[in-house]
């Protein structure tokens, strides 16, 4: 063929025939970009480049039905097809996103409602737990009040109550002082929790710690094998308790009360230590050593400096509560209140004595005047 062959366009709108030239002669022109985006229908209608070359070699003329088409028209059809596809895809994607958002929103609402219900359930459970805890006064007390470092949540409840109610409170009753002296002497063989658990047995055996009654007890009955007293302490300690009761009776006869004797060592005012840390609390002091020597001189037994200092701590003669403990200030206030009460009592006694003296003087004057 000397000239370019003319093919009729497949598009009806194109009235003119235009020459189409390719690298391999008269065949379909396909651009690399359109080759990637050709639809399945176009791929079936157009033969590949290799098939056309084989037909040219074999001398076969390509069929006008397959090769007589217009590239711009195909591209326009593809564009319209892609636009329709994109439109439908966008519609379907919008619908899917709407449905997704709706489901997501409903799911979010459902999750919020579920979480809110769970929070309500947890709140109700926590309220129940708190109410149960509040009903237990001992646990609440341990959590709400700060005590001395040696009183921990694992401490025996009896010892914790002893710390909160008795330890460090100034004592001025002779029976109570004798009881505390006996219990502090028992620390050589027992611990505070075990002593407090057997405290009611001590009171039964030793007549509620009345020193005058204990001084008259029969040692043979107390020390008899199988007796209740033998289950508490050793024979040496039991003999010391009875002997200390006898010596305390002598002190009461001499000073009027054991209270006046023991508090005279600190001028009737408790010693406020003001310790911050447990390591600062001593085992014994010079004052305890002085009291111990005087008690031993008077015939007391088992009253070394360590026992005496423990007695001073328990009886409130010294306030060894840590300053961070809530009982520190309470014991100080209790001591001040008792001091005021004692001062008032002394003033009242002095007023009564003065009134009695004045009445006696008046009566003497009246008698002398009448005699004259």
């Amino acid at each position: 063929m000397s000239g370019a062959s003319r093919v009729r366009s497949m598009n009806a709108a194109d009235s003119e025939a235009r020459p189409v030239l390719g690298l391999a002669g008269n065949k379909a022109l396909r651009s690399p970009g359109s080759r990637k985006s050709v639809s399945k229908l176009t791929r079936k209608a157009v033969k590949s480049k290799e098939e056309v070359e084989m037909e040219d070699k074999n001398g076969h003329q390509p069929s006008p039905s397959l090769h007589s088409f217009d590239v711009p028209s195909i591209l326009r059809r593809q564009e319209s097809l892609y636009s329709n596809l994109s439109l439908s895809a966008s519609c379907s994607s919008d619908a899917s996103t709407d449905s997704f958002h709706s489901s997501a929103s409903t799911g979010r609402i459902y999750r919020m409602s579920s979480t809110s219900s769970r929070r309500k359930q947890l709140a109700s459970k926590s309220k129940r737990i708190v109410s149960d805890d509040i009903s237990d006064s001992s646990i609440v007390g341990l959590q709400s009040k700060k005590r001395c470092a040696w009183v921990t949540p694992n401490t025996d409840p009896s010892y914790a109550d002893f710390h909160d109610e008795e330890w460090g409170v100034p004592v001025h009753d002779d029976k109570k002082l004798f009881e505390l002296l006996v219990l502090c002497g028992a620390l050589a063989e027992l611990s505070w929790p075990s002593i407090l658990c057997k405290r009611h047995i001590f009171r039964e055996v030793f007549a509620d710690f009345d020193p005058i009654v204990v001084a008259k007890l029969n040692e043979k009955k107390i020390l008899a094998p199988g007796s209740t007293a033998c289950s508490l302490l050793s024979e040496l300690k039991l003999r010391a308790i009875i002997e200390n009761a006898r010596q305390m009776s002598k002190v009461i006869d001499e000073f009027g009360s054991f209270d006046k004797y023991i508090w005279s060592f600190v001028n009737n005012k408790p010693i406020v230590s003001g310790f911050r840390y447990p390591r600062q609390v001593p085992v014994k002091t010079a004052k305890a050593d002085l009291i111990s020597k005087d008690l031993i001189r008077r015939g007391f037994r088992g009253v070394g400096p360590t026992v005496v200092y423990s007695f001073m701590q328990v009886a409130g003669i010294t306030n060894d509560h840590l300053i961070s403990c809530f009982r520190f200030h309470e014991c100080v206030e209790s001591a001040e209140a008792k001091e005021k009460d004692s001062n008032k009592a002394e003033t009242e006694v002095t007023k009564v004595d003065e009134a009695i003296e004045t009445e006696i003087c008046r009566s003497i004057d009246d008698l002398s005047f009448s005699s004259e």
Side-chain angles (χ1 to χ4, degrees):
M1 292 184 182
S2 61
S5 63
R6 293 181 181 271
V7 296
R8 182 66 59 180
S9 174
M10 293 177 63
N11 192 359
D14 296 335
S15 58
E16 298 180 355
R18 59 187 68 181
V20 178
L21 295 176
L23 296 175
N26 189 9
K27 57 183 177 295
L29 180 63
R30 298 173 63 187
S31 62
S34 63
R35 187 179 300 125
K36 293 182 181 180
S37 61
V38 171
S39 62
K40 294 181 180 181
L41 296 174
T42 310
R43 290 175 183 175
K44 291 180 181 181
V46 180
K47 288 186 178 181
S48 62
K49 181 178 179 181
E50 290 79 7
E51 293 177 352
V52 174
E53 291 177 355
M54 291 295 294
E55 290 178 354
D56 292 337
K57 289 180 181 180
N58 295 329
H60 297 288
Q61 186 70 22
S63 61
S65 61
L66 295 177
H67 299 281
S68 59
F69 62 91
D70 190 5
V71 173
S73 62
I74 293 174
L75 293 177
R76 281 195 296 271
R77 289 182 180 179
Q78 290 179 357
E79 289 176 359
S80 62
L81 180 60
Y82 291 152
S83 62
N84 293 331
L85 291 174
S86 62
L87 180 61
S88 61
S90 63
C91 294
S92 62
S93 63
D94 293 337
S96 62
T97 52
D98 292 338
S99 62
F100 173 75
H101 288 302
S102 63
S103 62
S105 61
T106 54
R108 191 179 298 113
I109 292 171
Y110 177 75
R111 286 194 295 271
M112 290 174 64
S113 62
S114 63
T115 52
S116 62
S117 62
R118 289 178 184 174
R119 288 176 182 174
K120 291 180 180 179
Q121 292 176 358
L122 291 174
S124 62
K125 289 182 180 179
S126 61
K127 289 180 181 178
R128 292 176 184 175
I129 293 170
V130 169
S131 62
D132 294 338
D133 290 339
I134 291 173
S135 62
D136 192 354
S137 59
S138 61
I139 296 175
V140 172
L142 289 173
Q143 293 178 353
S144 61
K145 297 177 181 179
K146 188 174 182 180
R147 292 168 171 77
C148 295
W150 53 84
V151 181
T152 63
N154 297 326
T155 303
D156 188 88
S158 61
Y159 182 71
D161 295 337
F162 180 70
H163 169 273
D164 296 347
E165 298 173 2
E166 298 184 51
W167 200 83
V169 179
V171 178
H172 297 278
D173 182 68
D174 286 348
K175 291 183 179 180
K176 186 72 173 177
L177 289 170
F178 180 59
E179 177 184 4
L180 296 178
L181 183 62
V182 170
L183 298 181
C184 290
L187 287 173
E189 298 180 0
L190 302 173
S191 62
W192 269 121
S194 59
I195 291 172
L196 295 173
C197 290
K198 300 177 181 179
R199 193 174 188 177
H200 63 286
I201 304 176
F202 276 96
R203 289 174 177 174
E204 292 176 0
V205 172
F206 297 107
D208 203 17
F209 291 103
D210 188 347
I212 297 174
V213 177
V214 175
K216 297 177 181 180
L217 291 177
N218 190 352
E219 290 188 3
K220 291 183 179 180
K221 292 182 179 180
I222 297 294
L223 301 176
S227 62
T228 307
C230 291
S231 63
L232 295 175
L233 296 171
S234 63
E235 181 179 347
L236 182 64
K237 289 294 181 183
L238 294 175
R239 290 182 182 275
I241 291 172
I242 297 173
E243 184 63 27
N244 291 342
R246 294 170 183 171
Q247 300 304 325
M248 185 175 285
S249 300
K250 294 179 181 179
V251 172
I252 292 172
D253 294 338
E254 182 180 351
F255 291 89
S257 65
F258 187 76
D259 170 55
K260 290 182 179 179
Y261 163 75
I262 200 67
W263 280 92
S264 63
F265 288 95
V266 292
N267 297 324
N268 297 318
K269 291 182 180 181
I271 301 171
V272 181
S273 302
F275 296 129
R276 291 180 176 272
Y277 307 103
R279 62 176 180 270
Q280 296 176 330
V281 181
V283 178
K284 60 182 180 179
T285 59
K287 184 68 69 175
D289 192 13
L290 178 64
I291 297 173
S292 174
K293 289 180 179 179
D294 191 75
L295 290 172
I296 294 172
R297 182 180 64 82
R298 292 179 179 273
F300 285 81
R301 299 179 183 178
V303 286
T306 304
V307 174
V308 171
Y309 192 70
S310 298
F311 168 72
M312 292 173 65
Q313 290 175 324
V314 176
I317 299 173
T318 178
N319 184 1
D320 277 357
H321 283 284
L322 301 182
I323 59 175
S324 59
C325 178
F326 78 100
R327 289 293 293 167
F328 175 78
H329 297 288
E330 291 183 359
C331 291
V332 171
E333 293 174 358
S334 177
E336 293 176 353
K338 288 183 178 180
E339 185 179 358
K340 290 180 181 179
D341 293 339
S342 62
N343 292 334
K344 288 181 180 180
E346 289 178 358
T347 54
E348 290 177 358
V349 170
T350 53
K351 287 179 181 179
V352 171
D353 293 339
E354 290 175 358
I356 292 172
E357 289 179 359
T358 55
E359 289 179 359
I360 292 171
C361 291
R362 287 178 183 178
S363 63
I364 292 172
D365 293 338
D366 293 340
L367 290 173
S368 62
F369 180 75
S370 62
S371 64
E372 291 178 357

